Amino acid sequence: MTRAFTFPGQGSQAVGMGRELAEAFASAREVFGEVDDALGQNLSKLMWEGPQEDLTLTENAQPAIMAVSLAVIRTLEKEGSFVLSDKAAFVAGHSLGEYSALAAAGSFTIADTARLLKRRGQAMQRAVPVGEGAMAALLGLEFDQAAEVASEAAQGEVCAAANDNGGGQVVVSGARKAVERAIEIAKTKGAKRSMLLPVSAPFHCSLMQPAADEMAEALGGVDLKSPSVPLVANVTASRVADPATIRDLLVKQVTGMVRWRESVLYMEAEGVSSFVEVGAGKALSGMVKRIAKEPEILSVGTPGDVEAFLKTI
């Protein structure tokens, strides 16, 4: 069986995330400690105790979601002699999850990944003043239809498809008024439901260019090794292993669309039949189920999940 390991993005955060892992495994506690030390912040306390509104802040949610994913990977390695490169054909992550995937595959250290994601979150928040941008989910429209809706709604402002999540779920991003127009237009095009998302900035559109420029600088100062497992990149929906190319794609990813549907189809075409979501929540598992044909889907985020998964390998 050919497996791909996937890593979730923003929206998967919840108060209490990772606490059971830390209580059950010293290896997980080590990871949370490394992240806290790298950031000079007691992020693990915020993850476990809240408040939710602080955890949801982009600069906190991004490193927190990564920390849980890497705590799972470290625990699999320590508890079951798990070696990612022996078990995975590909790694892939949704938006910030791409950093988690690369850290899992040894491209970044956990400390560098935490600092990069903290800065990424801050840069994305700074790029557009609060209230001026928005994102909306258009449900029940295929990608081409949603892209047409975004184009029609733009009217000289920015409005573009940001996440192609598959199964008739496309997220658009841009100037708030343009995104609000997209919601209304989508209703006339047959969308089952369209709604604004509770995010603080319009991710994955051209309004994020200042954040992309900042991440180019940040990534330029960090050691980036070739991953032990090829990455299926958000921007290209195809494999990449060259460090210079990965660095370039991580910069482009800030303004570029997350091509998740195409990424899953690419991995399936390459022989992947089992998708393992690593970390908090099961959002990616739901997406994969809508995209791939009869995939095996596993989620590994709790001590029980870890123990069950180790019995399968």
Side-chain angles (χ1 to χ4, degrees):
M1 180 178 293
T2 304
R3 283 188 165 130
F5 285 70
T6 66
F7 296 81
Q10 206 158 332
S12 296
Q13 70 276 356
V15 172
M17 62 193 294
R19 184 198 288 256
E20 289 184 359
L21 281 169
E23 290 172 347
F25 302 111
S27 48
R29 292 195 293 275
E30 288 172 8
V31 170
F32 295 126
E34 287 175 33
V35 171
D36 287 351
D37 289 346
L39 299 179
Q41 173 189 3
N42 197 343
L43 183 63
S44 57
K45 184 175 189 292
L46 175 60
M47 290 162 61
W48 300 335
E49 299 177 12
Q52 179 71 35
E53 55 267 29
D54 289 351
L55 179 59
T56 301
L57 289 173
T58 302
E59 66 176 83
N60 293 325
Q62 293 198 20
I65 291 165
M66 179 278 297
V68 178
S69 292
L70 270 293
V72 171
I73 291 290
R74 178 79 63 84
T75 299
L76 290 173
E77 291 170 345
K78 293 288 179 68
E79 297 296 319
S81 300
F82 170 84
V83 179
L84 184 67
S85 58
D86 291 344
K87 303 297 180 183
F90 299 104
V91 292
H94 195 283
S95 191
L96 82 89
E98 200 153 80
Y99 285 79
S100 307
L102 288 164
S107 288
F108 292 126
T109 66
I110 289 175
D112 280 344
T113 310
R115 287 188 287 262
L116 283 169
L117 286 173
K118 184 77 172 180
R119 186 166 177 184
R120 184 177 183 267
Q122 292 170 335
M124 290 172 121
Q125 190 60 70
R126 281 194 296 265
V128 178
V130 173
E132 291 188 13
M135 299 180 79
L138 310 184
L139 307 181
L141 298 180
E142 294 306 315
F143 174 73
D144 289 345
Q145 295 172 296
E148 286 178 12
V149 167
S151 179
E152 185 178 334
Q155 297 179 22
E157 295 183 293
V158 172
C159 188
N163 301 340
D164 178 10
N165 290 332
Q169 184 189 113
V170 180
V171 175
V172 297
S173 181
R176 174 170 284 274
K177 289 182 179 178
V179 171
E180 289 171 346
R181 286 193 293 269
I183 290 173
E184 296 306 312
I185 293 168
K187 292 175 184 176
T188 71
K189 303 290 186 181
K192 293 176 183 175
R193 191 178 172 208
S194 301
M195 66 276 195
L196 286 171
L197 296 177
V199 297
S200 54
F203 307 135
H204 298 290
C205 74
S206 60
L207 295 176
M208 287 286 110
Q209 188 57 51
D213 294 341
E214 186 166 339
M215 289 312 296
E217 178 186 343
L219 286 158
V222 172
D223 185 35
L224 196 167
K225 297 181 173 67
S226 182
S228 62
V229 178
L231 173 78
V232 177
N234 287 179
V235 172
T236 61
S238 61
R239 78 174 72 203
V240 60
D242 173 64
T245 305
I246 290 171
R247 202 184 304 268
D248 181 57
L249 291 176
L250 286 174
V251 174
K252 290 178 177 176
Q253 183 227 55
V254 178
T255 56
M257 182 174 69
V258 177
R259 295 168 61 182
W260 190 252
R261 174 180 59 87
E262 294 170 274
S263 296
V264 172
L265 291 174
Y266 173 84
M267 289 185 277
E268 187 179 42
E270 291 291 307
V272 172
S273 57
S274 178
F275 293 83
V276 183
E277 182 171 6
V278 182
K282 298 183 179 180
L284 298 185
S285 296
M287 292 179 199
V288 170
K289 190 173 183 179
R290 293 194 298 268
I291 298 166
K293 295 175 184 175
E294 299 182 0
E296 179 191 65
I297 295 173
L298 299 169
S299 299
V300 188
T302 67
D305 293 341
V306 167
E307 289 163 6
F309 179 71
L310 287 175
K311 291 175 184 175
T312 73
I313 58 174

